[in-house]
Amino acid sequence: MLYADENQLLINPEHLGPDEEKVVLNADKTEVTIMANVTMVEVKKRQLKDEFTILSNVIIDSVTYGGTVNTGCHGVGRGCPALPDLVVKLEVVNDKGDLVTYSRADDGEEFMNAVTTNLGLFGFVYKMTLAVKQNKITVETHNEYHSVKDTLTNSSKLKHLAESNWSTEIFWFPYNSILHNIKELLKIKKEDFLKLPTPNLDKWDPLQDDCWLRLTNDKSGGKTEKCLFHFRHKFNDALGELGLKAITPLLDAAPNLNPYFCCLNSHVVKLQPSKICVQLPDAIHFRKFVHWAPVHDMEFAFVVDHDYSNIVEACKVVIDEIERRARQGNFPMNVCMEMRFMGESKSLLCPAVVGQHSPNKEVKTAYIEVLSLVRRQSRLARLHSSNCHWMEQDWR
Ligand SMILES: Cc1cc2nc3c(=O)[nH]c(=O)nc-3n(C[C@H](O)[C@H](O)[C@H](O)COP(=O)(O)OP(=O)(O)OC[C@H]3O[C@@H](n4cnc5c(N)ncnc54)[C@H](O)[C@@H]3O)c2cc1C
């Protein structure tokens, strides 16, 4: 479907192409060609069925390959590049309506690094061919909980985590050490619910909050979870996202609820199993139904210093700011801060290109993102523009 105005064309690719052309795996299982409107979950199902693996990807399963490859979305995993780095061929409908093909084989690496993260500027990407691993990969994910002090602000611990696990993801849901206030919340009468006073954060120390560590490693030959696990996981995610959707307007009406909500959220996360063995595509795309409760997501990529000290500094910027705001009764980050580590990208417009390419040196990139439920837009925007010091640092 096309929508046009004077200088622009808005394309809705929802009904693009016949089903049999949507995901096509080549005979020796080294490349897969995917249409732009195909979602992560559709390709995940094909990976599980045909036993191949896309080694770099996005955690939510509802977004499309067109929307993630062409914007330079990252993946997760030590040494993993970004999604556009896997592209070997792009088929693009240009501004004249011609179908043009760009490929590493015909146009070379340098050219492809310039066009793979294209933000739609070369036209409408119709299909993309990605390099894949020919086999299925079984992994084990450990869910652990350690204090902020012991993780986000501890450079040697961060280094150890990021370098001893294939994938390290760290989530901080702020205020989660104020559990005593949750107990107070439960005593509140229904009619006083929205009048809830600002939680007493005098004793809150962000360094004592717990972080959720999601550590994933190879587990070849491991026994993977049964159908029931996947059903339960799906059910929990659906329930969680519906809960987030319902609570969003409430948090706007009564901002003081934010710390209680974040605290509760973090404790709900702890209900999941401590160890999960699944196929890699299941481990990567582990969040479902995220589109039901939209969030604002600000994300930066940092080249990791040899001792991880700049990553600690970057985390402290957020922690200090959230603490300062909380003391004033402001709660701009009401979902979480998330950090994960990967390699670098060669695709020029991809944020993970921040490293200086060096053939002899492995460049590590840390992605740090701040997530807030959508109705927090104004507060989040203020946090970003006036007080986020990331932009001012020479960390590129
Ligand atoms: C909660 C949350 C978690 C996220 N987690 C991750 C993550 O783990 N890793 C990660 O990398 N990203 C992550 N993201 C970011 C997300 O992957 C991007 O926002 C992605 O662009 C969304 O895809 P979409 O299909 O909705 O794209 P759209 O919004 O439809 O498209 C985005 C842009 O892509 C371009 N585009 C789309 N289709 C085409 C096409 N056919 N041809 C040319 N250009 C095209 C256009 O410029 C368009 O404006 C996350 C986002 C959220 C909200």
Side-chain angles (χ1 to χ4, degrees):
M1 202 181 291
L2 296 179
Y3 309 90
D5 65 12
E6 273 176 17
N7 301 308
Q8 302 181 69
L9 207 56
L10 181 65
I11 303 173
N12 178 352
E14 206 177 328
H15 303 292
L16 195 71
D19 278 356
E20 59 278 12
E21 277 186 38
K22 284 193 161 176
V23 185
V24 179
L25 187 63
N26 71 352
D28 57 0
K29 295 214 290 191
T30 52
E31 292 178 0
V32 64
T33 300
I34 303 171
M35 274 191 164
N37 62 342
V38 179
T39 59
M40 294 287 150
V41 67
E42 290 173 274
V43 180
K44 180 180 99 169
K45 284 179 187 159
R46 277 299 293 276
Q47 289 180 74
L48 297 174
K49 178 171 164 274
D50 292 339
E51 302 193 342
F52 69 98
T53 310
I54 298 180
L55 208 44
S56 178
N57 235 318
V58 180
I59 65 170
I60 43 180
D61 66 3
S62 50
V63 292
T64 63
Y65 269 80
T68 50
V69 168
N70 300 308
T71 50
C73 276
H74 59 84
V76 66
R78 196 177 58 213
C80 269
L83 257 185
D85 294 80
L86 304 180
V87 172
V88 291
K89 192 166 88 178
L90 277 182
E91 292 167 62
V92 188
V93 181
N94 69 14
D95 59 338
K96 298 187 181 66
D98 298 330
L99 181 65
V100 190
T101 302
Y102 303 121
S103 72
R104 291 202 190 266
D106 294 337
D107 300 294
E109 290 292 316
E110 208 178 350
F111 183 88
M112 287 302 276
N113 290 340
V115 299
T116 42
T117 304
N118 55 62
L119 308 171
L121 294 173
F122 296 106
F124 177 76
V125 175
Y126 174 59
K127 281 182 185 174
M128 53 220 93
T129 302
L130 310 184
V132 301
K133 292 274 168 206
Q134 289 163 293
N135 52 321
K136 67 174 183 181
I137 299 175
T138 306
V139 292
E140 190 165 80
T141 296
H142 283 237
N143 296 305
E144 296 180 8
Y145 307 91
H146 298 272
S147 69
V148 168
K149 191 176 169 198
D150 238 1
T151 49
L152 299 177
T153 61
N154 181 336
S155 55
S156 52
K157 181 77 181 280
L158 273 186
K159 185 176 165 75
H160 172 73
L161 285 168
E163 296 182 8
S164 60
N165 293 290
W166 177 75
S167 158
T168 304
E169 295 167 83
I170 305 178
F171 301 77
W172 170 47
F173 295 82
Y175 326 111
N176 69 58
S177 51
I178 59 158
L179 198 61
H180 57 284
N181 279 331
I182 294 274
K183 287 178 189 150
E184 280 169 28
L185 179 71
L186 295 176
K187 284 185 225 147
I188 285 199
K189 284 193 225 130
K190 215 168 157 194
E191 56 273 25
D192 291 338
F193 198 62
L194 294 184
K195 289 188 231 140
L196 194 70
T198 307
N200 181 0
L201 294 174
D202 291 352
K203 291 191 193 133
W204 172 60
D205 176 1
L207 299 184
Q208 300 308 323
D209 279 351
D210 269 348
C211 284
W212 166 29
L213 271 58
R214 196 172 174 271
L215 310 170
T216 301
N217 288 295
D218 185 81
K219 180 86 177 171
S220 306
K223 206 163 158 230
T224 52
E225 307 295 339
K226 302 252 171 0
C227 278
L228 184 64
F229 165 83
H230 294 285
F231 175 76
R232 239 192 284 148
H233 180 47
K234 211 168 170 177
F235 181 76
N236 289 348
D237 272 10
L239 216 58
E241 289 302 324
L242 283 177
L244 288 182
K245 191 184 168 122
I247 199 126
T248 304
L250 202 61
L251 292 178
D252 244 30
N256 292 345
L257 287 179
N258 277 282
Y260 298 110
F261 161 72
C262 292
C263 179
L264 202 63
N265 215 358
S266 115
H267 289 280
V268 168
V269 163
K270 289 186 181 174
L271 298 176
Q272 63 190 321
S274 56
K275 224 191 272 178
I276 300 161
C277 186
V278 288
Q279 298 301 332
L280 186 56
D282 270 328
I284 293 172
H285 308 291
F286 73 99
R287 288 292 296 155
K288 300 170 208 321
F289 310 112
V290 167
H291 51 293
W292 289 358
V295 294
H296 279 285
D297 179 355
M298 179 188 77
E299 185 162 34
F300 273 57
F302 301 89
V303 173
V304 181
D305 275 356
H306 72 284
D307 61 357
Y308 288 60
S309 54
N310 67 327
I311 303 306
V312 167
E313 285 308 308
C315 292
K316 275 189 181 159
V317 167
V318 180
I319 297 165
D320 291 350
E321 193 57 21
I322 295 302
E323 182 177 12
R324 193 179 72 78
R325 297 282 178 137
R327 307 262 175 245
Q328 298 168 351
N330 278 321
F331 312 104
M333 182 176 84
N334 65 6
V335 179
C336 67
M337 177 173 109
E338 179 183 353
M339 172 158 72
R340 57 199 128 159
F341 296 90
M342 53 175 276
E344 66 171 338
S345 173
K346 292 198 166 55
S347 183
L348 296 181
L349 284 183
C350 174
V353 133
V354 286
Q356 299 77 31
H357 290 298
S358 156
N360 306 319
K361 193 173 144 236
E362 188 201 345
V363 176
K364 298 179 195 77
T365 315
Y367 270 78
I368 308 182
E369 62 191 300
V370 173
L371 296 153
S372 253
L373 287 163
V374 148
R375 301 268 293 251
R376 316 300 311 159
Q377 180 175 18
S378 52
R379 282 156 195 264
L380 192 67
R382 261 185 273 143
L383 172 75
H384 296 170
S385 58
S386 61
N387 284 50
C388 179
H389 307 299
W390 287 351
M391 293 290 274
E392 293 158 20
Q393 308 297 324
D394 185 21
W395 282 332
R396 285 180 63 83

